[in-house]
Amino acid sequence: VQLQASGGGLVQAGGSLRLSCAASGRTFSRQTIGWFRQAPGKEREFVAAIFRSGSNTYYADSVKGRFTISLNNAKNTVSLLMNSLRPEDTAVYYCAADPSIILSALRTPQSYGYWGQGTQVTVSS
């Protein structure tokens, strides 16, 4: 499956952005889809995930209550709505997918076999 992330940009603190991840070559059916981010000089970190295309969603503590991940099966896309953005949310955001992830591993980047190219999110103070 090929993944294409989009929707990044520059926004002021307190603003919102919606990232989108489109899949081609295969649907998101039964896949675990995750969003990760990587700031300069830091390791890639988990942001949010949908487990096996179901209704269960998971978030990093740092974004819980501000970010929402959702799956649109008809469009074969996954969105990440980011509200109340903070300067510390600045990073390159990546979407990832894999059909074989177990629940205990969905926060680990190495668990995902398919990655999009990343989209830059910059939050100014």
Side-chain angles (χ1 to χ4, degrees):
V1 59
Q2 291 80 44
L3 304 177
Q4 180 77 32
S6 61
L10 173 64
V11 64
Q12 288 188 331
S16 299
L17 280 176
R18 182 186 291 273
L19 305 184
S20 182
C21 179
S24 60
R26 188 172 178 176
T27 69
F28 278 132
S29 176
R30 300 298 297 169
Q31 301 228 28
T32 294
I33 307 106
W35 283 96
F36 292 80
R37 66 187 182 186
Q38 189 166 18
K42 295 188 176 181
E43 294 187 350
R44 192 166 298 189
E45 65 174 1
F46 171 77
V47 176
I50 293 178
F51 184 62
R52 293 187 182 172
S53 306
S55 59
N56 293 327
T57 57
Y58 301 84
Y59 298 92
D61 288 343
S62 59
V63 308
K64 199 172 295 184
R66 300 188 297 122
F67 291 11
T68 304
I69 187 171
S70 59
L71 171 64
N72 186 324
N73 280 306
K75 295 184 178 181
N76 210 29
T77 59
V78 172
S79 295
L80 183 69
L81 175 61
M82 307 185 294
N83 294 322
S84 303
L85 283 162
R86 306 167 180 168
E88 53 264 39
D89 294 318
T90 295
V92 177
Y93 284 70
Y94 300 88
C95 60
D98 200 282
S100 305
I101 296 176
I102 60 174
L103 184 57
S104 60
L106 91 169
R107 297 171 185 264
T108 305
Q110 291 81 0
S111 300
Y112 293 77
Y114 303 97
W115 288 85
Q117 84 288 4
T119 184
Q120 175 71 47
V121 171
T122 303
V123 184
S124 63
S125 57

